[in-house]
Amino acid sequence: MKHRYNIGLYQFVFSLSQALDLINPAMANHHKRVAYIALRLTEAVGMTGRSKEDVIVAAALHDVGSLSALHQHCEDCADLDLRYARFGYRLLQKFEPFRAPAHIVRFHNVPWSWGENREIENHEVPAGAHLVHLANRVNRLLDNDLPIYRQTGRIAEELQALKGPELMPEYVDAFLKLASSDAFWLDLESPDLLQRLFERAPLSTVELDLDGLLDFAELLAQLIDFRSRFTATHSSGVAATAATLGQLFGFPEVDCKRLQVAGYLHDIGKLAIPTEMLNKEGKLTDEEWHLMRSHPYYTYRILSPITGLEDIASWCGSHHERLSGEGYPFRTPHTDLPLEARILAVADIFTALTENRPYRSGLAEAQVIEILGELVGDHALDGTVVGTLRRYYAEINNSRAAAQAHALQEYQSFMSGLGVLDLYGACVVHLTWKQRLRAYLDGATMPDREQLMSHRNCELGNWYYGEGLQQYGHIAEMSELETSHKELHDLIHTLIEHFDQGRKEYAEECYRQIEPVSRRILALLKAIENRALATAVNT
């Protein structure tokens, strides 16, 4: 018998829209207002049923693509809004209940253009997209520093001027009739706008089996992780680690999958954290650290209103609590921390220590075990959970690595589909080979010798002599990359020869010489990426 969940999916939609507004204080209430304006417009034009729901959901999530790492590539890009919309579409359409709203999000920035844009790129532009476009434009015309009653006339005049070239005339006329009511504008200023939304739009629940819930959670994990190239696969690693630990503790399959869902969702509160802070390589300031500590609180607040996810919300909100009772954000005593929350805490730290990120390798097993042991000694982590991880380290780490490799492919596919050169994967793969080379010197078996010893047959070489030269050969750093990459593999070849013939000291010296060459390669990859994007984003 399959476990089924009646998920208040649209409760999540509005929780998420609140989280979107947290990211930029200047956009306070933006998504809720756009959703409310769109809701009232659907009523004004006679839209009902699922079509009405789809518009409201799309309006509440219309800027979801802005959470992606795209802004790191093209902050001054002329078509950034369109790229955000495409990203949001590609993300949302993977989840069946969001497929229709995804199409609205995809085209919500398309101007009416006197009716010429009824079809774009061989796709019909949904009527809902023009509704959301209008709702978004109305909200952008509002000046939060002025009383709303002093702005209604100006907004009406500006909308009249946009009727035809930018906005669908029929919808503008419907809005102007709606806007003649004082109550409409007062609702937009109301501190309980969310309650007004729920009163007028009692949206349906969605029944999901456990696999459907996992698909939903994976979508949300990508929403979290794709904000930063440094964490693009983190939640997938935590989810796999937590689920594997659950199996080793003898949990039933359904509970292991619920742990996996929790792993995907544990960091959703990071939507409230500025991206530049997530990407910061150095130490956080006291103020930044205080803000970072708030993310499990927001995780709990986003998830806890969703019917069916109450216990998962509790585990996720507790993944930074300590057994000593000195954790955050709730300072929960150890007696109140369920085993699932303890497993999630270990899975989170384990994944952060072992995963490769651009320009930083994951730690070796001995270092990971030492750090986890110290945390057990400080009464931060559960010793039984860490002990299980230690005994089954290889199995758990392989599960984590496989899940993150799959997530990396998803990330690369997203960026490639958006026409964005992102060499994050190349950096991570490069660091993985460094780890394997280090393991070889420490006594492990050498995998894929041919790839290590040939600069043409490794993954970076395959990219360089294929797509790389074809599309980016004009970039000056590409020639430097080829030279450095060949130098790296020549050193590896020499290292392996020395090691095979018992000259371990010479092999270690070669490994030390590899480090500066490796840093040079990573710097060149970053430079190539930036130059490619600088010339492509406005084309």
Side-chain angles (χ1 to χ4, degrees):
M1 176 181 176
K2 285 193 172 182
H3 288 76
R4 308 196 73 84
Y5 296 81
N6 288 314
I7 299 295
L9 200 56
Y10 300 106
Q11 290 174 311
F12 172 79
V13 168
F14 291 121
S15 289
L16 182 55
S17 72
Q18 287 185 291
L20 291 170
D21 290 340
L22 284 171
I23 294 169
N24 182 356
M27 300 286 278
N29 289 325
H30 173 77
H31 292 84
K32 291 193 291 291
R33 279 182 172 176
V34 173
Y36 184 76
I37 296 167
L39 161 64
R40 297 299 302 274
L41 277 168
T42 61
E43 295 171 347
V45 301
M47 194 176 286
T48 60
R50 183 60 186 268
S51 296
K52 178 179 179 178
E53 287 192 16
D54 290 340
V55 170
I56 298 167
V57 171
L61 302 180
H62 69 281
D63 275 344
V64 72
S66 67
L67 298 178
S68 73
L70 289 176
H71 67 281
Q72 298 172 43
H73 301 297
C74 46
E75 291 180 349
D76 299 321
C77 176
D79 70 345
L80 189 54
D81 283 344
L82 295 176
R83 287 176 184 262
Y84 282 160
R86 288 199 294 272
F87 186 96
Y89 160 74
R90 287 174 63 85
L91 188 64
L92 294 174
Q93 62 89 31
K94 296 173 63 179
F95 185 57
E96 196 281 330
F98 283 169
R99 283 180 186 164
H103 282 277
I104 296 173
V105 168
R106 180 179 186 179
F107 298 112
H108 81 275
N109 286 318
V110 172
W112 176 244
S113 192
W114 305 105
E116 292 181 5
N117 285 339
R118 288 184 173 90
E119 186 175 289
I120 298 288
E121 300 171 357
N122 297 319
H123 293 279
E124 180 182 354
V125 176
H130 294 297
L131 261 175
V132 174
H133 187 185
L134 171 57
N136 193 33
R137 182 57 66 97
V138 170
N139 190 61
R140 288 186 175 184
L141 289 173
L142 285 169
D143 186 339
N144 292 328
D145 294 328
L146 292 175
I148 210 164
Y149 70 87
R150 290 173 54 186
Q151 305 180 59
T152 57
R154 171 185 57 81
I155 291 172
E157 290 178 6
E158 294 195 38
L159 292 177
Q160 285 283 13
L162 295 171
K163 186 167 71 173
E166 278 289 325
L167 304 172
M168 187 174 175
E170 176 188 343
Y171 289 167
V172 173
D173 291 341
F175 175 79
L176 293 176
K177 289 182 181 178
L178 174 65
S180 64
S181 163
D182 289 347
F184 168 78
W185 296 105
L186 292 170
D187 277 345
L188 290 182
E189 285 191 311
S190 173
D192 58 352
L193 180 58
L194 199 58
Q195 185 61 33
R196 303 281 80 77
L197 273 163
F198 279 123
E199 288 173 357
R200 301 191 75 109
L203 300 173
S204 58
T205 59
V206 176
E207 186 178 74
L208 300 174
D209 62 22
L210 199 48
D211 289 332
L213 183 59
L214 275 170
D215 289 341
F216 176 51
E218 187 174 6
L219 177 153
L220 300 181
Q222 292 176 342
L223 182 63
I224 305 158
D225 290 350
F226 287 9
R227 288 189 69 203
S228 168
R229 299 167 71 227
F230 295 104
T231 60
T233 68
H234 178 71
S235 295
S236 295
V238 176
T241 300
T244 305
L245 280 166
Q247 291 169 5
L248 294 168
F249 270 90
F251 286 11
E253 181 183 4
V254 62
D255 290 335
C256 292
K257 286 190 174 182
R258 279 153 46 83
L259 266 172
Q260 189 175 357
V261 169
Y264 280 134
L265 299 181
H266 76 288
D267 268 348
I268 198 167
K270 283 187 176 177
L271 295 176
I273 307 301
T275 307
E276 58 270 19
M277 195 182 302
L278 298 176
N279 289 336
K280 187 173 181 178
E281 295 184 57
K283 186 177 180 180
L284 298 178
T285 65
D286 289 344
E287 184 176 347
E288 290 170 338
W289 175 236
H290 180 75
L291 181 56
M292 184 66 79
R293 283 167 57 99
S294 70
H295 81 267
Y297 170 83
Y298 288 117
T299 289
Y300 179 74
R301 292 302 175 201
I302 290 170
L303 295 178
S304 59
I306 304 173
T307 304
L309 295 187
E310 294 89 350
D311 53 354
I312 290 174
S314 176
W315 306 340
C316 292
S318 300
H319 75 276
H320 280 295
E321 299 295 337
R322 298 168 64 103
L323 296 188
S324 63
E326 297 175 347
Y328 59 90
F330 302 113
R331 297 182 73 87
T332 306
H334 71 91
T335 51
D336 294 336
L337 282 176
L339 179 56
E340 291 88 348
R342 300 172 189 223
I343 287 174
L344 196 61
V346 172
D348 181 42
I349 295 175
F350 171 76
T351 301
L353 293 174
T354 54
E355 65 191 351
N356 288 322
R357 297 180 181 179
Y359 324 118
R360 191 272 274 165
S361 296
L363 301 182
E365 178 177 347
Q367 294 172 289
V368 173
I369 293 300
E370 181 181 357
I371 292 171
L372 293 177
E374 290 174 354
L375 290 170
V376 170
D378 290 339
H379 305 290
L381 296 179
D382 187 298
T384 303
V385 178
V386 171
T388 300
L389 189 148
R390 184 187 297 115
R391 286 193 299 277
Y392 297 96
Y393 189 96
E395 178 182 346
I396 294 169
N397 196 42
N398 288 340
S399 176
R400 188 269 315 162
Q404 292 194 288
H406 174 74
L408 178 58
Q409 290 178 340
E410 288 278 305
Y411 177 82
Q412 291 173 311
S413 174
F414 262 85
M415 290 305 179
S416 176
L418 292 164
V420 174
L421 175 65
D422 193 308
L423 295 175
Y424 162 76
C427 295
V428 170
V429 168
H430 174 75
L431 291 170
T432 299
W433 279 114
K434 276 183 61 183
Q435 282 183 318
R436 293 179 179 177
L437 194 61
R438 179 66 261 169
Y440 169 66
L441 291 176
D442 293 337
T445 302
M446 171 62 71
D448 299 316
R449 270 175 175 256
E450 185 179 350
Q451 285 194 20
L452 276 177
M453 297 173 70
S454 170
H455 70 287
R456 289 180 175 270
N457 293 336
C458 70
E459 291 189 48
L460 179 57
N462 288 334
W463 173 82
Y464 182 91
Y465 292 105
E467 176 192 353
L469 282 179
Q470 290 173 12
Q471 297 190 29
Y472 310 107
H474 61 283
I475 296 175
E477 284 85 355
M478 285 290 285
S479 177
E480 296 179 55
L481 177 63
E482 181 179 36
T483 300
S484 294
H485 189 218
K486 185 177 185 303
E487 180 183 351
L488 173 76
H489 281 273
D490 287 344
L491 277 169
I492 292 172
H493 186 277
T494 304
L495 179 153
I496 292 173
E497 282 190 341
H498 283 314
F499 193 80
D500 285 350
Q501 295 176 27
R503 297 190 292 267
K504 294 185 179 180
E505 291 184 8
Y506 291 100
E508 288 288 353
E509 176 58 31
C510 286
Y511 187 80
R512 284 190 288 272
Q513 293 177 37
I514 283 172
E515 183 57 34
V517 180
S518 172
R519 287 198 300 270
R520 193 188 320 145
I521 288 172
L522 293 173
L524 287 167
L525 288 171
K526 186 173 183 179
I528 291 165
E529 182 181 83
N530 289 339
R531 289 190 183 277
L533 289 162
T535 58
V537 292
N538 287 318
T539 60

